[in-house]
Amino acid sequence: MNSVFFKQRAPRVVSVFLSLLLVATSGAGFVGAQTPVVGVGANAAQTTETLAAPAAEKLFHLERKAVAGGAELLTVFGNLRGPEDKENGGADVPLVSILRDTLGDTDPENDRLRYVWMHTYTHPTFKQRLASGVPFLYRRVGNKKGADSTPPPVIDLSSPDRDVWRRMMWAALQSIFFDPYGIAVKSAVRTFRRNADDYRKAHIIRALAILSLYEAGTESAPVFSPVEMREIQARLMLAERTFGGIIDDSYLQRVYEKETTAWADLRGHNWELLRQRAEAEGLFFEPLLLPDGNATHAMLWVARDELETNRQRRYSNRFLNIANPWKDKRLSKWNGYTETRYLDAENRFVAADAAGARRVELIPLALYGLDHPKIPMLLVDFRDTGNAKRREMSRRLLEDVARNVLSLSKFGDIHYFLGRTVYDYVTGKRGMDINQPSRLRAYSQLKLLLSLSASLDPELREELSRRVERVSMNPLENDRASETELARKQYAALVAYAQRADGLPATLDRDRRAELVPLVHGRTGRFMLRFANLLSLGLYTHREDATPERQREQLDTERRLAFHRRFLREVSKSSPLVEVVWNMEEVRRSLRFIADYGSRADAKTSAAAARIFARTHDDETRRLCLNSLYRINNETAKAELLRIYQTAGLAPELRSLSLEYLRMAMREEQRIAPADAKIIASVVGQ
């Protein structure tokens, strides 16, 4: 069924929905996450050998450069050709740079992370931009050579909501200005935006992977604190989501843990699924490791000497999605890449000098991505170059035809919605590697794997790189060799930009002035300023005027307050008993700071202080929570203080203290909800 589908060069949407009715639905396959184990041979017994990963610390180092105005540029360097090529003249390449705004001091509490640059991410050439707007052009058109301008950041960590507003602006422009001009304009603009978003998303994925590898391989004192690393990684994860930029900082820890666990579950599930299918079909399964030991990809091999003996063997391509190797005459005459391995009596890979080892010649069949929903994704088919690309194109072609040509939408056409729902369900149930979510993440990680992994044979690495470039569907992409040169040139341009007075220091000053806006304007004023920014298509951004000294003073207090607010929210949500997990002196220090600046604390901080009061037995901490709720001048704080006073079984001294704070709040005419004010008045008057 799926082979017939892919032989049609221009399948119509109607024929797709008719053809799916011929597909018999079956079981959902294997479910549940498994702890990854090494599958060494499809016809071998399952083993549980420990994965030996290359040393990540040998691949990366970090350089720090001061930026005028009180900031520093932190850059992660890595060897893009693998550690085995260092002796052959391989030089480290700048990979990711992050700007940390320190306000010119060494206190981490008032630091703020700003821009993240992935140095292989660049402004496209005119030819690439033009090609990226051509509908149904699913291929690369060449590489960018020069890169003398400052590289574009992949994300602004200090203003992540900017991406959300940008997407909303483009959606409005698309609907109001471009769609009415007909299919040609509508399709061109949509195609351009999709290619640009995919290009940025691919580099965000690689930046996230590089930072994770760097963190795993750092043995000395880390340059990034755990909070900073979590913020960077969580924001990069959320950048792929439509409304990820508006997620509050207090949820970043939860986002990071949830996403990390989900990807680990997917890898374990796909690992076991692919290993079992390979074993059932008599093939060899081998995971490919990143430097930190994580296996994001896996390869399938076939033994040359088994091709003839298994000629009549039955074969099912379910979940594998490659042609029958036992009846393929190309393999019997294979003159491409092969590897010589040694197996023991149980068909496990062993060293050549191991007792009883026998020599076997393996032919590569396919490479799969494990970081993908539902099933392992075919990325490289060594016998059919177009197999993986046709599968990658299936979903995008269907969506482009439906949205850009037929103007169909899941939300606007019930027949299309029902047809797509059934079609998605059937292909997912049958493990058909078509009409699946994009392989963008898997290919992005594969390019990183080919650059960093020391476990790959250089010849195999080059063979895979060549095949991956053929699968690329985005005209904005550059090949691996070009990206290495672009990274060096763009880093040099960024360093030069950071050293110019009108360069990065001036940008930093503008960003700080924009950061002052919430301190001067209320919610309504900020909304109007944001609306003006959207109406001007981003050309106008309001910034406050302030001297550098005044600017630092205001930002220092506000950033410290934000630091302690976020810390207290995290503490309040993490454990039923605070002192079991957290250092109570740090908790008390944050509560004192919040109490000192209570007039600028918000309702979420009030709720956090109340939760900490309920989740600790430390008397001093509980008193500080009550003091903070009194000092925070908002309705939530006083409502929480009243609720604590009314709690049954509360210690008499704490009840008396909360009552005194309520009496003082009434006397000072603090902000109290009318209903709560009546209750407090009656309590105080008793």
Side-chain angles (χ1 to χ4, degrees):
M1 166 60 199
N2 50 347
S3 60
V4 173
F5 175 85
F6 283 125
K7 288 181 180 179
Q8 299 174 347
R9 292 181 177 272
R12 296 176 301 174
V13 174
V14 175
S15 67
V16 171
F17 293 143
L18 290 177
S19 63
L20 70 90
L21 298 178
L22 301 177
V23 182
T25 60
S26 61
F30 302 95
V31 296
Q34 303 290 335
T35 301
V37 295
V38 177
V40 293
N43 49 359
Q46 179 177 340
T47 64
T48 56
E49 299 176 7
T50 302
L51 295 176
E57 65 273 13
K58 296 181 180 179
L59 289 177
F60 300 102
H61 73 272
L62 188 138
E63 290 188 0
R64 188 196 311 246
K65 290 185 178 296
V67 178
E72 56 185 2
L73 188 66
L74 306 170
T75 304
V76 177
F77 283 75
N79 190 311
L80 287 186
R81 294 187 294 170
E84 73 277 8
D85 289 330
K86 277 209 170 191
E87 297 178 357
N88 299 327
D92 285 354
V93 177
L95 301 176
V96 179
S97 290
I98 299 174
L99 181 66
R100 177 195 277 158
D101 182 359
T102 64
L103 291 179
D105 58 34
T106 58
D107 190 345
E109 290 185 5
N110 63 3
D111 290 353
R112 187 161 195 179
L113 299 173
R114 292 198 177 275
Y115 300 104
V116 177
W117 290 274
M118 180 70 190
H119 290 296
T120 55
Y121 179 67
T122 183
H123 294 290
T125 64
F126 176 77
K127 178 182 178 181
Q128 288 175 321
R129 292 180 186 273
L130 191 63
S132 67
V134 178
F136 306 107
L137 178 63
Y138 306 134
R139 55 165 296 178
R140 290 179 47 246
V141 294
N143 300 304
K144 181 176 179 178
K145 301 299 182 181
D148 298 328
S149 61
T150 306
V154 293
I155 189 173
D156 182 358
L157 297 173
S158 64
S159 183
D161 61 329
R162 186 178 302 173
D163 290 334
V164 177
W165 291 101
R166 180 180 59 84
R167 293 190 186 101
M168 295 176 61
M169 180 185 69
W170 271 104
L173 290 175
Q174 182 74 46
S175 178
I176 297 174
F177 294 103
F178 298 124
D179 287 356
Y181 281 94
I183 293 177
V185 175
K186 176 177 71 174
S187 300
V189 176
R190 287 185 182 274
T191 302
F192 176 81
R193 291 306 310 163
R194 175 166 183 168
N195 284 327
D197 289 342
D198 286 350
Y199 180 56
R200 174 176 176 262
K201 189 181 299 183
H203 286 81
I204 287 177
I205 293 170
R206 289 162 68 181
L208 178 60
I210 289 171
L211 291 172
S212 298
L213 292 174
Y214 169 76
E215 181 185 28
T218 301
E219 294 183 347
S220 57
V223 176
F224 298 103
S225 68
V227 174
E228 287 180 323
M229 185 60 73
R230 180 180 64 229
E231 177 184 351
I232 297 170
Q233 293 177 326
R235 283 300 177 193
L236 289 173
M237 292 173 179
L238 291 170
E240 303 178 41
R241 300 184 180 180
T242 303
F243 297 104
I246 61 177
I247 299 296
D248 189 82
D249 289 347
S250 61
Y251 294 98
L252 295 182
Q253 170 72 18
R254 192 180 308 176
V255 168
Y256 175 74
E257 292 176 350
K258 183 178 179 180
E259 289 291 316
T260 303
T261 302
W263 288 120
D265 288 345
L266 282 177
R267 290 176 187 173
H269 167 74
N270 287 330
W271 171 304
E272 190 63 16
L273 178 61
L274 186 61
R275 187 196 64 79
Q276 291 188 24
R277 288 302 305 151
E279 182 177 352
E281 302 305 329
L283 307 175
F284 288 86
F285 166 85
E286 181 183 26
L288 302 181
L289 306 180
L290 283 169
D292 62 352
N294 285 321
T296 55
H297 300 77
M299 284 190 64
L300 293 188
W301 306 77
V302 64
R304 187 189 288 272
D305 57 1
E306 294 181 359
L307 291 174
E308 188 62 34
T309 58
N310 290 331
R311 186 72 63 185
Q312 302 303 318
R313 180 171 181 154
R314 295 186 61 183
Y315 173 79
S316 171
N317 73 339
R318 188 179 185 189
F319 300 119
L320 301 182
N321 296 298
I322 56 175
N324 187 350
W326 309 119
K327 296 183 179 181
D328 194 338
K329 296 181 180 179
R330 292 173 294 182
L331 290 178
S332 59
K333 303 177 182 178
W334 184 263
N335 58 1
Y337 178 83
T338 61
E339 282 193 13
T340 299
R341 302 286 186 88
Y342 294 86
L343 306 176
D344 61 10
E346 297 181 357
N347 283 337
R348 294 176 301 187
F349 291 128
V350 295
D353 56 355
R358 63 182 178 88
R359 182 178 180 275
V360 61
E361 185 180 9
L362 298 180
I363 300 174
L365 293 179
L367 184 145
Y368 297 83
L370 303 180
D371 272 8
H372 207 279
K374 296 183 180 179
I375 61 175
M377 281 298 168
L378 177 69
L379 303 180
V380 174
D381 186 340
F382 286 85
R383 292 173 291 162
D384 184 356
T385 304
N387 186 11
K389 185 162 187 174
R390 291 194 297 269
R391 296 176 186 277
E392 172 70 2
M393 287 173 54
S394 60
R395 185 182 186 92
R396 181 161 178 176
L397 181 63
L398 180 60
E399 290 181 349
D400 287 349
V401 170
R403 295 182 62 186
N404 299 337
V405 178
L406 302 180
S407 298
L408 297 176
S409 170
K410 286 185 177 181
F411 305 102
D413 191 293
I414 186 63
H415 302 92
Y416 177 69
F417 171 77
L418 294 176
R420 278 298 302 270
T421 301
V422 175
Y423 185 57
D424 292 347
Y425 177 80
V426 172
T427 54
K429 279 287 186 181
R430 300 234 355 131
M432 297 168 60
D433 189 11
I434 58 174
N435 189 41
Q436 297 295 333
S438 173
R439 295 163 171 79
L440 181 64
R441 178 182 178 86
Y443 275 120
S444 299
Q445 291 183 329
L446 178 57
K447 293 185 75 171
L448 186 63
L449 173 71
L450 296 177
S451 299
L452 297 175
S453 177
S455 61
L456 289 177
D457 180 84
E459 186 178 347
L460 176 60
R461 179 187 293 115
E462 294 304 319
E463 177 71 12
L464 287 172
S465 296
R466 182 173 57 84
R467 292 179 179 272
V468 167
E469 297 303 337
R470 292 181 180 178
V471 179
S472 178
M473 296 175 54
N474 197 332
L476 302 178
E477 288 283 352
N478 300 289
D479 63 27
R480 194 161 64 96
S482 298
E483 285 183 342
T484 301
E485 293 304 314
L486 286 172
R488 291 193 175 99
K489 293 178 180 178
Q490 292 204 133
Y491 176 67
L494 179 61
V495 171
Y497 181 69
Q499 294 173 346
R500 291 187 353 232
D502 61 342
L504 196 54
T507 301
L508 183 64
D509 178 70
R510 290 194 296 270
D511 290 340
R512 287 174 177 173
R513 288 164 50 206
E515 190 179 344
L516 291 173
V517 171
L519 306 182
V520 179
H521 300 275
R523 183 177 301 178
T524 302
R526 294 198 303 271
F527 175 80
M528 297 304 297
L529 292 174
R530 173 65 72 177
F531 188 66
N533 177 265
L534 290 176
L535 286 181
S536 65
L537 303 181
L539 297 178
Y540 170 76
T541 300
H542 182 74
R543 300 179 177 91
E544 299 298 327
D545 292 327
T547 62
E549 293 75 15
R550 181 62 176 168
Q551 188 182 90
R552 280 185 171 85
E553 180 183 347
Q554 290 179 303
L555 292 180
D556 176 76
T557 301
E558 185 61 26
R559 290 184 186 179
R560 289 176 186 273
L561 186 60
F563 174 87
H564 292 290
R565 281 199 307 251
R566 183 169 57 186
F567 176 72
L568 292 177
R569 292 178 197 173
E570 185 176 337
V571 169
S572 68
K573 298 176 182 178
S574 61
S575 173
L577 193 60
V578 174
E579 47 262 46
V580 173
V581 178
W582 298 93
N583 183 332
M584 295 306 295
E585 183 53 41
E586 293 183 358
V587 176
R588 289 192 287 265
R589 188 166 65 89
S590 291
L591 287 170
R592 293 188 188 100
F593 192 93
I594 292 296
D596 291 340
Y597 295 92
S599 60
R600 297 164 68 174
D602 56 8
K604 293 182 179 179
T605 307
S606 305
R611 284 195 297 268
I612 293 174
F613 179 90
R615 296 183 180 187
T616 182
H617 299 315
D618 183 75
D619 186 66
E620 183 181 357
T621 303
R622 302 188 91 184
R623 289 177 178 274
L624 286 172
C625 289
L626 295 178
N627 185 39
S628 298
L629 292 174
Y630 159 64
R631 295 290 189 90
I632 299 175
N633 187 11
N634 60 46
E635 295 180 356
T636 302
K638 299 308 168 290
E640 294 290 355
L641 191 58
L642 177 61
R643 184 183 59 79
I644 291 174
Y645 169 78
Q646 296 173 330
T647 301
L650 185 65
E653 60 274 13
L654 294 178
R655 186 184 302 276
S656 299
L657 182 60
S658 59
L659 177 61
E660 180 62 24
Y661 282 143
L662 289 173
R663 181 182 293 110
M664 293 168 61
M666 288 288 290
R667 187 183 309 125
E668 296 168 3
E669 297 183 352
Q670 293 189 15
R671 296 172 56 189
I672 306 174
D676 293 335
K678 292 180 180 179
I679 298 175
I680 295 173
S682 63
V683 170
V684 171
Q686 292 178 356

